[in-house]
Amino acid sequence: MSSPEDAGSVGRPHDAKPLRRLARSARYLLGGGLAGLHGLLVLAFLVLVAALSLVGVGLLLAGTASGLLRRWCGAERGRVGRALGRRIGSPYLPPAPGAGPARRIADGTLPRDLAALLQRIVVGIPLGAVSILVPVLSVQALALPAYWWAMPDGKPAEQFFVITSWWLAAASGLIGLAGLAAWWFAVPAVAAADAKLLERLLAPGRDQELRLRARMEEQRRRSAVDLHSAELRRIERDLHDAAQNRLVAVSMFIGTAQRQLTTGKGDIATTLAKAQDASRDALAEMRRIIRGVYPPALAEEGLVPALGMLADRMQIPTRLHIEAPAPTAASVDAALYFSVAEALTNVAKHSGATTCDIHLTWTEDHGDMRVITTVTDNGHGGAEPAKGTGLSGIESRIEALGGTVAFTSPPGGPTAVRMELPCES
């Protein structure tokens, strides 16, 4: 049974519908031709910038040229990945603070990007043209005998050669059949070979993969440090602004009761009752802070029941969907719990939604178990992370454990936050 990715790939011999595979392959080659024409414009701009750099002016456009080439490669990476039925990773390092165009150009990806650009121009444009011309000319060759038959007597017809007899007309028909047969069998194989060649140029090389892993590990450590610092600041703020104030109130009431006991003036019982109420408030606040460090429900019941409690406390009807649960580390449970809690808070405050869904799916990826959590609402959408929707805190928690976060919120909705984490972190 083939996966959805397989169904969208080119040149797969096990495809149950050859006609659909042929159409996908022809569409891929035609898209390659159009990408080659676009690549010609990109190449012309790169050559112009390189020429202007000899006099210093082009250096001002180096960043624009580099970004243009990378966007072209990114589009091709997505197109080729869809054709092959698998995702092609980006070889580019995450932008370092203060990194300029020279840093981006010197990261080792420029030669491979230029090779992919030239390959698409030199190979992609001819293949795209051939993928269109061969079937068109073959159909014309097949139709030529009927055209010659309809011509007045003694008047020839011309396609690849002048037709003046039925023998030549039959030869034209055979040429048309041969062209269609060659197109039928060759297009999927050529498309698959072209996609795999381009994948080798667009996918990260071994050195680039090592650099990417090093940068991702550095970013992960930075996220972990930032998250830890933010958590310490939050706990300090909660202790200072809430628990400390309530303990000060307890101390003040006890001091007042002592003075009343010494002077014999005032209602000591009322003051002690106020002190007792203040101590209860302080105890409740301390419990709230402790739950914010690691919720007791999470420690005692586990991730799924704890998320169920979050869903039950939502004012908006919220459903929890679980698929193939597997054990996860305590750090993963905590990261997902607080991330889902933050996402649900955003839904309640900003989305205007009437329903919300939480999906948890455990899946195996190359022998490693991963948990994928998605929070979706049917609100009005249009949310932007830059405007303080809390996504930055979610990203810090998830990325600190080597996970990824994807956020979609088109105008009109729905809004979805997708978090993916390894089960062991």
Side-chain angles (χ1 to χ4, degrees), residues 125-351:
I125 294 177
L127 286 180
V130 169
S131 68
I132 294 297
L133 291 177
V134 167
V136 171
L137 295 177
S138 298
V139 170
Q140 285 183 343
L142 275 175
L144 198 59
Y147 174 69
W148 179 71
W149 173 77
M151 293 288 288
D153 291 342
K155 203 164 185 181
E158 184 175 353
Q159 170 73 10
F160 300 104
F161 44 82
V162 178
I163 297 178
T164 57
S165 67
W166 281 111
W167 290 105
L168 294 175
S172 175
L174 290 175
I175 291 174
L177 286 174
L180 287 177
W183 184 71
W184 179 279
F185 291 105
V187 163
V190 171
D194 179 81
K196 290 177 182 177
L197 173 61
L198 202 57
E199 181 188 23
R200 293 177 65 88
L201 296 174
L202 293 171
R206 180 173 177 80
D207 293 342
Q208 291 167 342
E209 285 183 349
L210 293 175
R211 285 197 293 266
L212 282 170
R213 290 176 184 174
R215 179 63 65 85
M216 293 301 293
E217 187 61 30
E218 177 186 350
Q219 191 172 12
R220 176 178 174 177
R221 288 196 299 268
R222 188 182 301 115
S223 297
V225 172
D226 292 343
L227 176 63
H228 181 67
S229 300
E231 286 295 306
L232 289 179
R233 288 194 298 270
R234 181 185 65 82
I235 295 172
E236 179 185 12
R237 184 175 61 252
D238 289 346
L239 289 173
H240 181 274
D241 296 343
Q244 177 179 273
N245 291 339
R246 285 168 171 77
L247 290 174
V248 168
V250 172
S251 177
M252 290 177 60
F253 285 128
I254 292 177
T256 301
Q258 286 178 333
R259 287 193 298 273
Q260 290 173 341
L261 183 62
T262 302
T263 60
K265 298 179 180 179
D267 188 352
I268 299 177
T270 302
T271 305
L272 290 176
K274 292 180 179 179
Q276 187 177 24
D277 291 339
S279 67
R280 289 197 188 99
D281 292 340
L283 182 59
E285 191 62 34
M286 291 296 294
R287 287 173 176 168
R288 184 190 68 81
I289 295 173
I290 291 172
R291 285 195 299 269
V293 175
Y294 198 89
L298 191 61
E300 297 168 3
E301 303 291 338
L303 177 61
V304 173
L307 292 181
M309 293 177 63
L310 283 180
D312 292 339
R313 287 201 295 263
M314 280 285 287
Q315 297 178 349
I316 301 170
T318 302
R319 292 165 293 187
L320 178 63
H321 308 268
I322 306 298
E323 183 177 344
T328 51
S331 56
V332 175
D333 289 347
L336 286 178
Y337 177 87
F338 288 114
S339 298
V340 171
E342 181 66 36
L344 292 178
T345 301
N346 293 335
V347 172
K349 288 184 177 179
H350 309 295
S351 70

Side-chain angles (χ1 to χ4, degrees), residues 33-69:
L34 296 176
L37 294 175
H38 182 202
L40 274 176
L41 299 177
V42 175
L43 181 62
F45 184 73
L46 294 176
V47 172
L48 176 63
V49 171
L52 293 177
S53 296
L54 298 176
V55 294
V57 179
L59 297 177
L60 301 175
L61 299 173
T64 303
S66 173
L68 185 64
L69 177 60

